């Protein structure tokens, strides 16, 4: 039986994780968060003090890593890890490494009903033939407010104007990067997530029912 694959793309802090978790629970699909893989990689580079300005150092370190956990941890949600993850994500060698982890996970788990996978290039690059592609669209100011609340609730000191500035900069980098830029995937449904969560999932559930 073919695995069902639902991809969820969108900019930073657009609510991809929360939406994916909901879909995973309601429709009994395995959730893969590609962002966690980039953050775990960033944590490894930070912890091992890898000089990321040299691509040769990045490639050398990647060869030493056999696997990365998909488990989520609060210490990976800091602004420092987020910024570092953004910096290493521009390199093609890093994106290929993360993409292969996702390909292999799906390939090795054929018995699972399906997957909901979120990121920034999942429907456009990683799983182009997904059964359903969603692109989450949210105003930057709303995203900044949500990220600010998330950081404050987790105990990390944060300043809203700085978060908004970081998000706009991240958007620019994601959209202009040479390797796998952030785009609306071909055949993707654009989901407006500016309003309530209930309004958002109503749009999504109607689409999932069709597949």
């Amino acid at each position: 039986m073919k695995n069902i694959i639902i991809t969820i793309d969108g900019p930073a802090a657009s609510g991809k994780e929360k939406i994916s978790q909901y879909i995973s629970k309601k429709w009994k699909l395995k959730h893969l968060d590609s962002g966690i893989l980039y953050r775990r990689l960033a944590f490894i580079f930070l912890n091992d003090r890898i000089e990321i300005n040299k691509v040769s150092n990045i490639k050398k370190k990647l060869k030493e890593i056999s696997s990365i956990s998909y488990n989520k941890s609060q210490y990976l949600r800091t602004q420092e890890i987020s910024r570092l993850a953004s910096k290493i994500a521009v390199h093609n060698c890093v994106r290929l490494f993360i993409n292969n982890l996702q390909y292999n996970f799906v390939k090795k788990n054929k018995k699972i009903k399906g997957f909901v996978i979120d990121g920034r290039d999942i429907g456009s690059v990683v799983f182009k033939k997904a059964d359903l592609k969603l692109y989450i669209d949210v105003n930057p100011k709303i995203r900044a407010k949500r990220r600010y609340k998330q950081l404050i609730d987790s105990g990390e000191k944060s300043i809203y104007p700085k978060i908004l500035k970081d998000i706009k900069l991240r958007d620019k980098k994601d959209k202009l990067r040479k390797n796998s830029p952030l785009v609306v995937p071909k055949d993707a449904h654009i989901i407006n997530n500016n309003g309530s969560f209930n309004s958002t999932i109503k749009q999504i559930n109607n689409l999932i029912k069709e597949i």
Side-chain angles (χ1 to χ4, degrees):
M1 181 179 175
K2 178 182 175 293
N3 297 118
I4 294 171
I5 295 182
I6 297 175
T7 62
I8 300 183
D9 289 297
S14 56
K16 298 185 298 293
E17 182 183 11
K18 184 177 181 180
I19 291 169
S20 297
Q21 288 175 339
Y22 168 84
I23 293 174
S24 173
K25 185 176 181 180
K26 177 172 177 60
W27 297 95
K28 295 179 174 55
L29 303 177
K30 178 70 176 178
H31 175 211
L32 299 185
D33 181 353
S34 66
I36 285 296
L37 298 180
Y38 284 102
R39 286 173 180 272
R40 281 201 174 276
L41 203 56
F43 179 78
I44 290 172
F45 283 14
L46 182 66
N47 196 51
D48 293 352
R49 299 181 181 180
I50 304 299
E51 180 51 66
I52 66 166
N53 290 328
K54 293 183 178 180
V55 180
S56 58
N57 291 342
I58 294 176
K59 289 181 177 179
K60 182 180 179 181
K61 187 60 186 178
L62 289 176
K63 289 180 180 179
E64 298 174 4
I65 304 172
S66 58
S67 64
I68 293 182
S69 172
Y70 279 88
N71 293 334
K72 298 169 186 177
S73 299
Q74 197 59 45
Y75 67 83
L76 297 173
R77 292 294 179 184
T78 66
Q79 286 293 87
E80 182 180 22
I81 293 295
S82 182
R83 282 191 289 268
L84 183 55
S86 178
K87 288 180 180 179
I88 64 174
V90 302
H91 298 292
N92 194 44
C93 59
V94 172
R95 304 201 73 84
L96 287 174
F97 178 82
I98 297 297
N99 289 353
N100 283 330
L101 289 177
Q102 295 175 91
Y103 292 141
N104 292 334
F105 189 90
V106 170
K107 189 176 180 179
K108 291 177 181 178
N109 290 277
K110 291 292 185 182
K111 293 183 179 180
I112 291 178
K113 177 182 177 183
F115 303 86
V116 52
I117 309 165
D118 67 87
R120 289 177 178 80
D121 64 346
I122 308 302
S124 58
V125 175
V126 189
F127 293 100
K128 292 182 178 180
K129 296 182 179 180
D131 299 278
L132 177 64
K133 299 178 184 180
L134 305 176
Y135 183 88
I136 312 303
D137 187 36
V138 189
N139 182 286
K141 291 182 179 180
I142 294 177
R143 286 188 277 138
K145 288 178 181 178
R146 290 174 180 173
R147 176 58 60 85
Y148 172 77
K149 184 178 184 303
Q150 183 184 50
L151 291 171
I152 292 297
D153 289 347
S154 68
E156 183 177 354
K157 293 182 179 179
S158 196
I159 302 173
Y160 170 76
K162 188 176 186 308
I163 293 176
L164 179 58
K165 182 180 178 180
D166 285 347
I167 280 180
K168 288 182 176 179
L169 181 61
R170 180 68 183 267
D171 286 351
K172 185 177 180 179
K173 286 182 177 180
D174 285 342
K175 291 176 180 178
L176 296 179
R177 69 175 175 237
K178 181 179 179 180
N179 300 307
S180 301
L182 173 65
V183 296
V184 178
K186 182 181 178 182
D187 301 323
H189 298 268
I190 298 177
I191 303 298
N192 184 318
N193 191 30
N194 286 310
S196 69
F197 185 66
N198 284 338
S199 174
T200 298
I201 60 174
K202 184 177 180 180
Q203 299 174 65
I204 294 172
N205 282 334
N206 288 335
L207 291 170
I208 294 177
K209 288 176 184 176
E210 293 179 9
I211 64 168

